[in-house]
Amino acid sequence: MGCVIPEESVEEIIVDSRGYIWCRMNTGLKYYDGEKWIIIFSSGVYDLCIDLADNVYCATNGEGIFKYDGSSWTSFTSENGLTTNNVRSLCVDDEGVVWCGLYYSDVNGDISRFDGVDRWETFKHENGLLNSAAFNI
């Protein structure tokens, strides 16, 4: 039968090294493991990325960031250094560092960098950002 993409509106697709297909949709996040689609989140996923160690990161609206290491999920929130749990965007730089764009309202946001273990360091306008509207990285 093959991989048939679910009927929901697909907003982003990434593929990890195992060949799993991750789809961010208007109805949440699903992945295809080669046999079936598995629902991970039912709503509120804004962005996805995969780091150099093949961890999948999910930016959410109100729940922070989730990281999947191939066997389990880890949650990162304001308790881990994010200034808000509203995460708009994710990216991985050439050195493998994961960055995220945070937002508070339509005009305010910060940028955070993951230390690779369990903490996020946040950069704000006071730290040298040109302004406080950092939504997309």
Side-chain angles (χ1 to χ4, degrees):
M1 178 175 192
C3 172
V4 177
I5 294 178
E7 294 180 15
E8 298 93 341
S9 174
V10 176
E11 297 171 350
E12 182 176 10
I13 297 174
I14 60 174
V15 180
D16 67 21
S17 67
R18 294 177 307 250
Y20 288 7
I21 301 169
W22 296 82
C23 290
R24 181 175 61 88
M25 305 174 180
N26 62 350
T27 57
L29 175 66
K30 297 180 181 182
Y31 77 87
Y32 184 73
D33 66 1
E35 296 181 19
K36 63 187 174 306
W37 284 98
I38 298 167
I39 299 170
I40 304 298
F41 300 108
S42 59
S43 66
V45 177
Y46 276 131
D47 202 7
L48 300 172
C49 75
I50 299 176
D51 70 11
L52 299 179
D54 208 36
N55 297 305
V56 176
Y57 292 81
C58 303
T60 69
N61 181 23
E63 296 182 52
I65 296 171
F66 289 90
K67 176 181 121 179
Y68 182 66
D69 65 6
S71 61
S72 63
W73 289 92
T74 303
S75 172
F76 300 105
T77 64
S78 55
E79 293 178 10
N80 304 98
L82 298 174
T83 54
T84 179
N85 292 328
N86 298 318
V87 184
R88 178 73 63 159
S89 62
L90 294 164
C91 76
V92 179
D93 68 19
D94 292 340
E95 296 177 3
V97 176
V98 178
W99 294 81
C100 70
L102 307 166
Y103 73 98
Y104 306 102
S105 67
D106 290 339
V107 295
N108 292 313
D110 301 326
I111 294 175
S112 287
R113 173 180 63 197
F114 186 47
D115 71 1
V117 181
D118 64 357
R119 300 294 305 166
W120 291 84
E121 178 183 8
T122 298
F123 303 91
K124 303 176 174 219
H125 181 68
E126 302 86 52
N127 304 114
L129 285 181
L130 294 178
N131 60 46
S132 294
F135 304 117
N136 201 358
I137 300 202

